[in-house]
Amino acid sequence: QSCFDFGQIKSLLARPDFTFCYDSMCGVQGPYATKILEKELGGKPGSCTNAIPREDFGGPSSPWHGHADPNLTYAVELAAAMGLNKEGQKISTPKPPPVFGAAADGDADRNMI
């Protein structure tokens, strides 16, 4: 809270015209993302997706096949939610895409915004 202005971020997340999606790809940062973004800062519940850590990052049956790499090839759920396919081309979505989207790899040292 000393590095970031939590008040300003909280104000942004409270705006009715601001929506976001943060895909943890079943990595260890999932519970932290949910606690900070949804609970502490007041983001809409469900904005943090795939936030339950799994040893196999979701395994071969996950849409990213257990490969928690935040790029258009593997962060397919985030890309689709944002209205993009794995080539970065626009696709239709069942609901309007969020204003902001991000994903992180298993230990959150690589990110995609």
Side-chain angles (χ1 to χ4, degrees):
Q1 292 182 9
S2 62
C3 291
F4 300 98
D5 188 334
F6 270 39
Q8 288 284 16
I9 298 169
K10 194 171 191 172
S11 294
L12 173 65
L13 298 184
R15 287 176 41 174
D17 63 338
F18 185 82
T19 54
F20 76 95
C21 178
Y22 180 82
D23 189 345
S24 294
M25 301 184 80
C26 296
V28 297
Q29 80 286 359
Y32 299 99
T34 301
K35 181 173 181 175
I36 295 168
L37 295 171
E38 292 184 12
K39 294 180 175 56
E40 179 76 24
L41 295 172
K44 293 166 190 71
S47 295
C48 295
T49 61
N50 301 307
I52 298 171
R54 295 195 45 192
E55 189 174 308
D56 62 356
F57 302 110
S61 63
S62 70
W64 54 93
H65 309 291
H67 192 81
D69 195 5
N71 59 43
L72 290 173
T73 299
Y74 294 109
V76 291
E77 287 189 352
L78 173 66
M82 299 304 294
L84 300 171
N85 65 15
K86 66 180 185 174
E87 286 82 35
Q89 299 167 331
K90 189 174 181 176
I91 59 172
S92 59
T93 59
K95 60 183 182 178
V99 172
F100 180 85
D105 72 332
D107 61 357
D109 69 338
R110 288 177 291 132
N111 302 277
M112 175 175 82
I113 297 175

